[in-house]
Amino acid sequence: MSIRFDKQKKRFVINTKHSTYAFEVVMDRYLYHTYYGKRTSVLPDPSYQVISFAPYLEGYDESRSPDVFPQECSFYGSGDFRPNALRLNSDGTGVCDFVYDSYRIFNGRVALDGLPAARADENTRTLEITLRDDVCGCRLKLYYTVFADVDVISRYMVIENVGKSDVKIEKCMPLMLDLNRSDFDMISLYGSHCREVNYQRAPLHHGTQSVYSKRGASSHQYNPFIALCSHNANQERGEVYGFNFVYSGSFLDEVDVDQRGHTRVLMGLGSDCFSYTLGAGERFCSPEAIMTYSSTGIGTMTHHMHDFVRAHILPPSALAPHPVVLNTWEACYFDIDEDRLVQFAKQAAQTGFDMLVMDDGWFGMRNHDRAGLGDWYENKNKFPSGLASFVSKIKAEGIQFGIWVEPEMVNPDSELYRAHPEWALRVNGREPLRSRHQLVLDMSNPDVVDYLIAQFDKTFKGIEIDYFKWDMNRHMSNVGSAAWPEDQQGEIFFRYMKGVYRLFDWFASRFPKAVIETCSGGGGRYDLGMMQQGIQIWTSDNTNPYDRTMIQASALIAYPAATMSCHVSNPHENLRSLDYRYKVAVGGMLGYELNILNMSEEVKRDIAAQIAQYKSFEHLMRAGDYYCLAAPYEYDYSAYYYATPDASELLLTVIEKAGNKKPQTKRLKLKAADPEKTYVDCQTKKQYSGAELRDGLVIDLTCDYDSAHLLHFKAL
Ligand code: DGJ
């Protein structure tokens, strides 16, 4: 049983395959967190320490203060001065104080009212803890949904207003974890457009360290994923706690080290971009956050995250081979039309591509990025015979068809904006700021979402679309909505995301055979919320293979290769050979963005061979276990491999980094190889024993700035 309640001790114990999580009800009201770590049956009892200036209830002393002991959820204004998980305003003070009421353990999980949520399977179990605050008239339900096989526990909360008046939620952090130590490094992923997910690792310090987004998207700037690891942790050694948020909008991750050197981790919606008025009888579901623990290094934490994302987050269609696409963006930008793209499709089909993806520029007056967004019907100059006829010509070439959309945005120069200026986010009396010449549609307004549904339904009627690339190319400023009253304006960021998820759900049900790739100027929404909607994410607009080596290696800490859309593109051909660019791109799901009409027959033959080779091992990246041997943010080269769980196949990639002027020889230990097996290198046909591969494979890296190795081993 993954969840147990010890009645005598009033202790809840959650076990995953390799971890244990425990807390107890103390003083008949508080939830005292006692343990999260390596799986054990020996659990510590609560211990108390007297700390002056700590407020306590009558009949107790400072040692029983909520400011002192580790808790499961903390409430603003109720004696815990550390960053709080919840602030509820029923009387103008923001003070709330929930006390333990009851619990329930059940199979499966609860749905989250229109938010993405990890998929339960037959082994999923949930612990529900109910607390109540009779003063503010609310019930709080804390959820622990246990994915025991993949060592993940997810946390979310539901607030029910059972009183008679409105209550305002002013801060909401569904994941709170108190640890009675602070000798950790924090790993986070920061960046910017074209420079996403840079690895950062720094020791914790007293005070609060945070990563966040106030941009309305999870953002290029900070990814919601964070980890805490012991100072000595590396890929194979040390303790690591990993956290992530199943949400795509503004967020806050806080890590606080308090007066006693104890650490509190909080993950959720924060307070800057979130408030929510809960009327009498209403309920609010928070998004879900997840946590995992590894006692065997960062590599194991990564395995837990990858296994969880593949089994419980990605849509089942992501588990089948992803199509190898030829995307028109970097080849054509806005310069597309029917004749040109039918030629693209013909050549693409002959070269072995699965799909042509028509990127931006096909609709309205979209001849550049200053006009047309919002006008979701085909541009008749570019597609004179109509979209349906064009798509049938593409299909007649024997290739699938994908199309780009950016539903959440509008150009002021568009028919939609001229008809409905009130449908863009704006604050009364203030000029809305522009970004990429566009404004953000008010997805919190159900009329806007309904309109988009009706328009896309009309435009794509009877057309067999196999793939949508869903983009989002600006962040939100001056966030206000004409659709909501003044006292609910704080809800817009959150309601916006629910509108976006509703539209995604409509696309998924209206086009059940189509898959979705999500994108936000590359990796601006590289998060678990989007992964539930899309089979993969356009990792970055930066396709320079050197930069991509860094970006992909960092993304892989938290997200499996199945989620990374990686293209070979043209702009860097002077810097790197096609072979090098390909070997970087097969770090994830392969595609190409180049002008196939200008290509020599020789290059087309090379690409055809690359696609065929990729298809022989793509299951390893999509479904295999990932092992990082040398991360490029720590070493002067990059080396990693994938292994099938039964160790029957291995795929090793070694990439030379730019600027390395000396030849190097590396000995790479493929410890996932089975010592009892004999492997053959699929290209050279040379044989190796598993023991030899485990002991170390010698790889030479030359100093020509273009050295990349890809070795596929199969057990005989
Ligand atoms: C940003 C995306 O990241 C690109 O791949 C491309 O789709 C453009 N938008 C189109 O405007």
Side-chain angles (χ1 to χ4, degrees):
M1 279 305 186
S2 56
I3 305 172
R4 275 187 300 111
F5 179 59
D6 176 338
K7 266 196 189 133
Q8 211 189 346
K9 286 192 176 279
K10 293 192 179 156
R11 176 188 277 170
F12 295 94
V13 182
I14 297 171
N15 281 313
T16 68
K17 211 167 172 185
H18 303 101
S19 72
T20 297
Y21 186 99
F23 58 96
E24 297 185 11
V25 181
V26 298
M27 298 157 67
D28 280 332
R29 63 184 289 148
Y30 295 116
L31 300 174
Y32 185 120
H33 174 82
T34 49
Y35 184 81
Y36 187 28
K38 199 169 176 170
R39 184 158 173 158
T40 180
S41 54
V42 184
L43 288 164
D45 287 323
S47 69
Y48 298 98
Q49 188 182 15
V50 174
I51 295 269
S52 49
F53 281 80
Y56 51 88
L57 288 165
E58 195 185 341
Y60 294 94
D61 64 19
E62 284 100 335
S63 70
R64 297 297 196 268
S65 170
D67 193 35
V68 178
F69 54 75
Q71 300 191 72
E72 288 301 306
C73 189
S74 89
F75 310 107
Y76 170 80
S78 62
D80 183 342
F81 298 109
R82 295 167 285 183
N84 303 116
L86 201 60
R87 178 180 162 125
L88 279 192
N89 214 336
S90 60
D91 54 11
T93 64
V95 175
C96 56
D97 197 2
F98 285 84
V99 301
Y100 174 76
D101 183 84
S102 55
Y103 79 95
R104 195 162 71 93
I105 297 169
F106 53 92
N107 290 332
R109 59 162 304 151
V110 296
L112 296 180
D113 288 358
L115 291 168
R119 220 175 17 258
D121 62 18
E122 62 286 0
N123 300 317
T124 307
R125 286 173 65 75
T126 296
L127 166 63
E128 175 192 82
I129 301 284
T130 301
L131 303 100
R132 48 167 225 287
D133 179 344
D134 297 334
V135 178
C136 77
C138 285
R139 264 201 303 254
L140 170 66
K141 291 184 170 164
L142 303 179
Y143 289 93
Y144 300 77
T145 291
V146 186
F147 303 94
D149 288 354
V150 292
D151 284 299
V152 165
I153 302 172
S154 92
R155 309 275 302 267
Y156 45 100
M157 53 171 65
V158 172
I159 304 164
E160 296 169 349
N161 184 349
V162 290
K164 293 196 169 56
S165 13
D166 287 358
V167 172
K168 195 167 199 170
I169 311 167
E170 295 182 335
K171 184 178 183 191
C172 176
M173 308 293 272
L175 186 150
M176 182 174 120
L177 175 66
D178 280 353
L179 298 164
N180 59 4
R181 45 187 276 227
S182 55
D183 51 344
F184 294 115
D185 290 344
M186 174 168 158
I187 296 172
S188 58
L189 305 173
Y190 71 94
S192 61
H193 178 226
C194 287
R195 282 182 54 246
E196 294 87 345
V197 289
N198 296 276
Y199 176 86
Q200 172 171 260
R201 177 170 172 170
L204 292 187
H205 56 77
H206 280 274
T208 303
Q209 37 255 276
S210 67
V211 296
Y212 61 89
S213 163
K214 301 181 193 178
R215 297 164 177 273
S218 49
S219 89
H220 311 83
Q221 283 68 18
Y222 297 112
N223 192 274
F225 163 83
I226 55 168
L228 298 186
C229 60
S230 47
H231 298 312
N232 68 346
N234 61 19
Q235 284 297 321
E236 294 173 352
R237 195 182 65 207
E239 285 193 283
V240 188
Y241 295 90
F243 308 90
N244 213 340
F245 200 25
V246 189
Y247 189 64
S248 314
S250 300
F251 71 92
L252 175 65
D253 298 350
E254 288 180 301
V255 180
D256 183 78
V257 179
D258 72 4
Q259 57 183 337
R260 295 200 300 156
H262 291 188
T263 303
R264 169 167 292 174
V265 182
L266 291 160
M267 184 173 262
L269 296 165
S271 54
D272 276 353
C273 298
F274 173 76
S275 69
Y276 197 95
T277 302
L278 207 54
E282 289 179 350
R283 74 173 207 162
F284 171 84
C285 288
S286 80
E288 172 171 33
I290 61 148
M291 54 191 192
T292 188
Y293 168 81
S294 150
S295 60
T296 47
I298 297 168
T300 303
M301 185 276 297
T302 291
H303 283 171
H304 295 169
M305 290 292 188
H306 287 193
D307 291 346
F308 171 73
V309 172
R310 288 187 295 219
H312 299 284
I313 294 285
L314 285 170
S317 51
L319 306 180
H322 299 199
V324 179
V325 309
L326 178 64
N327 178 297
T328 59
W329 180 243
E330 288 195 24
C332 310
Y333 295 107
F334 296 99
D335 189 13
I336 51 174
D337 62 36
E338 176 164 331
D339 291 345
R340 193 169 189 210
L341 295 194
V342 171
Q343 287 312 310
F344 260 64
K346 188 188 286 298
Q347 299 291 325
Q350 285 167 8
T351 311
F353 284 95
D354 298 312
M355 178 184 288
L356 180 76
V357 175
M358 176 166 74
D359 209 283
D360 199 350
W362 61 269
F363 52 89
M365 295 308 288
R366 190 71 170 168
N367 300 315
H368 42 67
D369 63 6
R370 290 182 300 285
L373 271 180
D375 296 340
W376 296 112
Y377 52 85
E378 67 270 32
N379 179 309
K380 284 278 186 247
N381 294 328
K382 296 179 183 178
F383 302 95
S385 60
L387 197 58
S389 141
F390 162 67
V391 175
S392 62
K393 286 179 193 161
I394 299 285
K395 301 245 164 165
E397 299 298 339
I399 195 166
Q400 295 175 289
F401 176 72
I403 196 164
W404 181 94
V405 290
E406 190 178 2
E408 300 156 68
M409 297 291 155
V410 67
N411 283 121
D413 185 1
S414 66
E415 285 172 24
L416 181 66
Y417 186 75
R418 282 186 281 276
H420 286 289
E422 79 286 6
W423 278 3
L425 290 177
R426 64 171 70 236
V427 173
N428 271 341
R430 297 186 193 279
E431 175 69 17
L433 301 175
R434 297 177 186 204
S435 181
R436 208 195 186 201
H437 315 287
Q438 62 200 53
L439 301 175
V440 185
L441 280 178
D442 179 4
M443 302 294 283
S444 79
N445 180 350
D447 292 347
V448 173
V449 179
D450 289 344
Y451 165 80
L452 290 168
I453 287 174
Q455 184 56 43
F456 283 121
D457 194 40
K458 189 167 155 204
T459 299
F460 298 141
K461 202 174 195 73
I463 304 178
E464 208 191 310
I465 293 174
D466 303 299
Y467 188 98
F468 291 98
K469 177 179 172 188
W470 181 308
D471 208 343
M472 191 257 191
N473 281 301
R474 69 156 289 182
H475 292 148
M476 300 175 204
S477 53
N478 298 116
V479 175
S481 162
W484 295 92
E486 206 175 300
D487 62 351
Q488 283 185 275
Q489 292 296 317
E491 301 174 17
I492 304 309
F493 278 102
F494 180 70
R495 289 189 180 276
Y496 177 99
M497 280 320 307
K498 287 188 96 168
V500 170
Y501 292 132
R502 174 156 83 91
L503 190 55
F504 266 113
D505 288 346
W506 176 80
F507 268 87
S509 62
R510 168 70 178 75
F511 304 98
K513 289 197 195 132
V515 291
I516 300 176
E517 167 169 316
T518 69
C519 169
S520 173
R525 274 201 307 209
Y526 208 99
D527 60 68
L528 299 180
M530 283 293 124
M531 285 170 196
Q532 186 150 85
Q533 310 289 342
I535 59 160
Q536 60 191 34
I537 297 184
W538 179 227
T539 315
S540 177
D541 275 350
N542 185 342
T543 49
N544 177 324
Y546 166 66
D547 296 335
R548 269 301 185 117
T549 301
M550 300 289 264
I551 292 169
Q552 292 170 196
S554 307
L556 280 165
I557 297 170
Y559 304 103
T563 67
M564 285 194 316
S565 171
C566 304
H567 292 181
V568 174
S569 78
N570 259 338
H572 312 289
E573 67 188 334
N574 298 332
L575 299 172
R576 296 285 185 277
S577 66
L578 182 67
D579 180 65
Y580 186 90
R581 285 176 282 150
Y582 159 74
K583 284 177 179 159
V584 172
V586 295
M589 302 292 100
L590 177 69
Y592 292 73
E593 282 196 40
L594 25 74
N595 189 346
I596 201 162
L597 304 183
N598 289 348
M599 228 176 249
S600 68
E601 288 308 313
E602 189 192 347
V603 170
K604 273 188 259 181
R605 267 198 306 277
D606 287 347
I607 290 178
Q610 290 177 344
I611 294 173
Q613 187 195 44
Y614 167 73
K615 289 191 170 183
S616 73
F617 57 59
E618 66 85 30
H619 57 282
L620 275 147
M621 277 96 67
R622 185 167 39 76
D625 295 329
Y626 164 77
Y627 296 87
C628 175
L629 298 171
Y633 44 78
E634 288 177 334
Y635 293 84
D636 55 1
Y637 69 111
S638 168
Y640 58 89
Y641 68 103
Y642 293 94
T644 52
D646 64 358
S648 61
E649 283 184 72
L650 308 165
L651 181 75
L652 170 69
T653 303
V654 189
I655 309 272
E656 173 82 273
K657 255 167 70 169
N660 195 16
K661 297 197 174 55
K662 55 184 192 314
Q664 311 187 59
T665 296
K666 303 290 174 193
R667 190 180 192 90
L668 300 169
K669 298 181 184 225
L670 311 189
K671 291 188 189 162
D674 182 342
E676 306 298 320
K677 290 187 164 77
T678 301
Y679 293 85
V680 60
D681 177 329
C682 295
Q683 233 165 353
T684 63
K685 306 295 174 215
K686 190 171 168 195
Q687 292 190 8
Y688 299 85
S689 71
E692 236 177 312
L693 294 180
R694 288 166 65 89
D695 200 34
L697 193 69
V698 174
I699 299 279
D700 288 329
L701 290 169
T702 54
C703 56
D704 62 1
Y705 299 87
D706 210 6
S707 182
H709 298 259
L710 190 64
L711 290 94
H712 184 192
F713 301 101
K714 274 189 181 173
L716 290 173

